[in-house]
């Protein structure tokens, strides 16, 4: 990927199932000057802070849109970093297993208004499973 893939003020959202390739795409965008916000890291950090002794998946499912405000705060911090960077950064790429409601929340809550690109990645179940079990950072209970 070359520089200036998109015009400035183009926040990109990459959504899809776990292990679909969202972070891989985001790493290419980082090389092109985008700041990367990984929503799953925000959720995992909140779990460690608020409910470290509870099962992560169960706890996260109960939270619904609880994390949206924390993700929005991360986007605002990234916005500030972009402003201080003297055009070093183009904009922000947000990755995660986000629902449309969560993406809409961020688009409405994070000024300034900009063009936004939403990419949803799909992959077949066999590919997702193979990727999941091949990653050393993934929990694979029962395997």
């Amino acid at each position: 990927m070359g520089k200036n893939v998109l015009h400035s003020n183009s926040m990109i959202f990459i959504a899809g199932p776990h292990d679909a390739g969202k972070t891989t795409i985001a790493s290419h965008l980082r090389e092109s000057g985008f700041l990367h916000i990984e929503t799953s890291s925000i959720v995992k950090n909140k779990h460690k802070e608020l409910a470290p002794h509870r099962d992560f998946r169960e706890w996260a499912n109960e939270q619904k849109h609880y994390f949206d405000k924390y993700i929005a705060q991360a986007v605002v911090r990234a916005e500030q970093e972009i402003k201080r960077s003297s055009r070093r950064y183009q904009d922000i790429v947000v990755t995660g297993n986000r629902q449309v409601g969560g993406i809409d929340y961020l688009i409405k809550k994070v000024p300034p208004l900009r063009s936004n690109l939403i990419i949803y990645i799909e992959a077949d179940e066999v590919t997702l499973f193979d990727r999941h079990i091949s990653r050393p950072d993934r929990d694979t209970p029962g395997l």
Side-chain angles (χ1 to χ4, degrees), residues 74-90:
V75 172
V76 168
R77 284 191 302 273
E79 286 272 350
Q80 294 165 349
E81 189 172 343
I82 289 169
K83 288 177 184 173
R84 290 189 304 265
S85 76
S86 300
R87 299 184 187 225
R88 180 174 160 216
Y89 298 113
Q90 288 195 57

Side-chain angles (χ1 to χ4, degrees), residues 109-122:
K109 291 289 184 182
V110 179
L113 294 177
R114 57 172 30 101
S115 62
N116 296 289
L117 176 63
I118 301 171
I119 301 169
Y120 186 84
I121 301 174
E122 291 185 359

Side-chain angles (χ1 to χ4, degrees), residues 23-92:
T23 302
T24 300
I25 293 171
S27 68
H28 291 292
L29 288 168
R30 275 195 313 268
E31 292 171 8
S32 297
F34 281 79
L35 289 176
H36 179 209
I37 296 172
E38 174 61 60
T39 61
S40 66
S41 295
I42 293 168
V43 174
K44 288 174 186 173
N45 288 337
K46 280 294 163 189
H47 174 253
K48 287 178 187 174
E49 176 187 336
L50 301 173
H53 301 295
R54 294 213 36 219
D55 176 72
F56 173 76
R57 287 180 186 91
E58 179 183 301
W59 177 81
N61 286 333
E62 291 172 1
Q63 302 306 307
K64 307 289 182 216
H65 289 284
Y66 170 79
F67 307 107
D68 290 345
K69 63 184 173 186
Y70 298 106
I71 295 166
Q73 290 169 356
V75 172
V76 168
R77 284 191 302 273
E79 286 272 350
Q80 294 165 349
E81 189 172 343
I82 289 169
K83 288 177 184 173
R84 290 189 304 265
S85 76
S86 300
R87 299 184 187 225
R88 180 174 160 216
Y89 298 113
Q90 288 195 57
D91 211 318
I92 301 164

Side-chain angles (χ1 to χ4, degrees), residues 89-143:
Y89 298 113
Q90 288 195 57
D91 211 318
I92 301 164
V93 59
V94 180
T95 59
N97 191 11
R98 306 288 296 150
Q99 300 297 324
V100 173
I103 292 172
D104 285 343
Y105 176 90
L106 289 174
I107 290 170
K108 291 174 184 169
K109 291 289 184 182
V110 179
L113 294 177
R114 57 172 30 101
S115 62
N116 296 289
L117 176 63
I118 301 171
I119 301 169
Y120 186 84
I121 301 174
E122 291 185 359
D124 64 84
E125 292 177 5
V126 172
T127 300
L128 294 174
F129 180 78
D130 289 345
R131 288 178 182 172
H132 184 81
I133 62 171
S134 69
R135 291 185 57 175
D137 62 328
R138 295 290 195 233
D139 180 28
T140 52
L143 293 180

